[in-house]
Amino acid sequence: MMSRSFLRLAMACVLAGAGVTLAMGPAEAGNKPAKTVPVRLLSLNDFHGNLEPPTGSSGRMVDETGATVEAGGAAYVATHLKQLSDKNTLKVAQGDLIGATPLISAAYHDEPSVEFLGKVGVTASAVGNHEFDEGYAELKRIMNGGCHPVDGCSPAGRWKGAGYSYLGANVVFKRPAQGAEKQALDALGGTNTASLRALLKDYGIPALPPVAIRWMNGVPIGFIGLVTGSTPSIVTSEGIKDLDFIDEVKAANVASRLLKIVGVKAQVVLVHEGDQVTAGQSPDSCSAQPGAGNRIATQVDAEIDMILSGHSHQAYLCTVTDPKGAGRLYSQGGSFGRVITKVDFQVDVKTRDVVRSSVVADNQVVTRTVTPDPDINTFVQTWKDRVAPVANRPIGKITADITNTASASGESSLGNLIADGQLAATRTGGNAQIALMNPGGVRTGLTYAGSPAGEGDGVVTYGEAFTVQPFNNLMQVVTLTGAQLKTVLEQQFTGGPNAQAFTKILQPSSNFTYTYSTSAAWGSKISAMRIDGVDVTDTQAIRVAANNFLVGGGDAFLAFTEGTDLWSGPLDIDAFAAHFAANPLITPPVPNHITVAP
């Protein structure tokens, strides 16, 4: 039985936090009111601050004909949204709109991207895991406004806040949360503390508005926001230390009931979780392989009419079966602004519910064959000009391409280079002896030819370095025993208690070598660990440098959390830039520090 206190509190949070006004729209014209009214949804997911057209494979998309075309870029997104919009349109999103962004956005804590999304009319979005990259407090600042507490105001002046609602029905405060009781009481308008305590016991206090209600053609449409339950393992722990991320299905069902109680039966889930696909398929095909996204899409309450998803950066349009056996839409629109999902449907005026047989969805590729929106073009150019002095600053040179392509052992030249820079930056102060870098944090390679902003062959600019690792993680050092370090390395592989979904080989600094066995059982895979050629023993204390994402147990490397004597140093990007300053001409390292045995 769902707690009515939860529903009352959640509704109060919606009304107070999202500014929702439950007011009827204009009456239907004519003597005979329509039996149904049209609604169109246009949705984006995983924009990741790609204000400029993304490059390489990130800027290409397979279209409906099977052709690979250039796609994405804010000015093109704006044009396509205008072309697809009519008077019945609501624009929504499924998270990761910010975080892991290019420097043009990241240099200003993603305020430019959030402003762009407001300019094109996004009205509500689920939070994604990357919305928490800089922590909950920073997310609240992005939502509500104010200048950054450390860096101050951007060149645009005081930040006014997002022009759309961020939703997270499965994000709640941990018990006890500082100030949560007063916040809840205020939101409830003085409800007694007994009700609050019961709520805290059962569910926790919502940390974000769980739902948003928007009116279209006289009927209310309810949006439920969800973020992947894996968020705690893929963002820095310190920034979300006061939050819990509860099961997505459970949270969606509570939010669905909330909407139903206030008379909203047309319900859409915006969820930052999705599935992988068969490569090379049309964006309109149902090529999704059932996984975490499908579980949510099939198990959430039958009252929910459609599920628009994100997180996996894939494009698909599927019909899945709800718990009562009816079909409903389950979709996703790629990433980086390359696809807009268009959903048309009718809502019954009497029942106020979606007529599911009327739902028609289409994944529209954001081609660059249209005229870019001039206002957004100017907007992007303004921010490009503002960040240019930082982005174009040369930091060093390379003698050849340094790639993040994994060798047979799983390490890469660029991964080794980053780890070497991290070790150099943490030896003094942190007394680091080795460094380990997570492969997912190495986002792209460094090319000898460089970008158009470079000053000649081999030149590496700060902007290029930032593109390699755009997360602004903090470098930290902890003490691990040799046995704990071995466990960290065992946790690279599937089969252990941390349940790695797939093998993730940490990138080692050049002075650390070891062997892993492909056939040995989990727990016995790692051998021959050596630092500077000297064997590592189980009992010796080792100072290990890594970014705060890993030190906090990210990517399921939980053995890092057993480390002691924590020391914090520079940002990872600053360590990388300093390594170039100390080594102005860098030759690609040979990724031969890990030996693979049968």
Side-chain angles (χ1 to χ4, degrees), residues 121 148 158 221 239 244 261 272 285 287 291 347 358 362 367 413 449 500 504 529 548 557:
H148 190 272
R158 183 175 178 82
I221 313 297
D244 275 331
I261 283 175
H272 191 71
S285 67
S287 55
V347 178
S358 71
D362 185 16
T367 61
S413 293
Q500 280 278 24
K504 297 176 183 176
M529 294 189 300
N548 58 336
F557 287 99

Side-chain angles (χ1 to χ4, degrees), residues 3-6 8-9 180-201 205:
S3 164
R4 186 168 293 272
S5 294
F6 177 88
R8 292 170 63 199
L9 174 60
E181 186 166 326
K182 183 180 185 302
Q183 177 181 338
L185 286 170
D186 290 345
L188 284 167
T191 297
N192 64 62
T193 54
S195 296
L196 176 60
R197 290 193 186 104
L199 169 64
L200 289 171
K201 180 179 179 182
I205 302 295

Side-chain angles (χ1 to χ4, degrees), residues 60-114:
R60 295 190 289 269
M61 195 74 200
V62 175
D63 68 12
E64 295 86 345
T65 70
T68 299
V69 299
E70 299 293 314
Y76 296 104
V77 170
T79 295
H80 281 273
L81 284 172
K82 284 183 178 178
Q83 292 178 348
L84 294 171
S85 295
D86 60 21
K87 63 181 181 179
N88 310 309
T89 299
L90 293 168
K91 299 166 188 173
V92 295
Q94 294 93 260
D96 275 13
L97 306 180
I98 61 176
T101 53
L103 189 62
I104 187 175
S105 182
Y108 306 106
H109 300 280
D110 286 319
E111 292 173 19
S113 293
V114 177

Side-chain angles (χ1 to χ4, degrees), residues 51 136 161 179 224 234 269 361 449 459 473 479 490 541 574 578:
L51 296 172
Y136 174 69
I224 301 168
I234 53 178
V269 159
V459 172
N473 285 321
T479 298
E490 292 283 346
D574 292 338

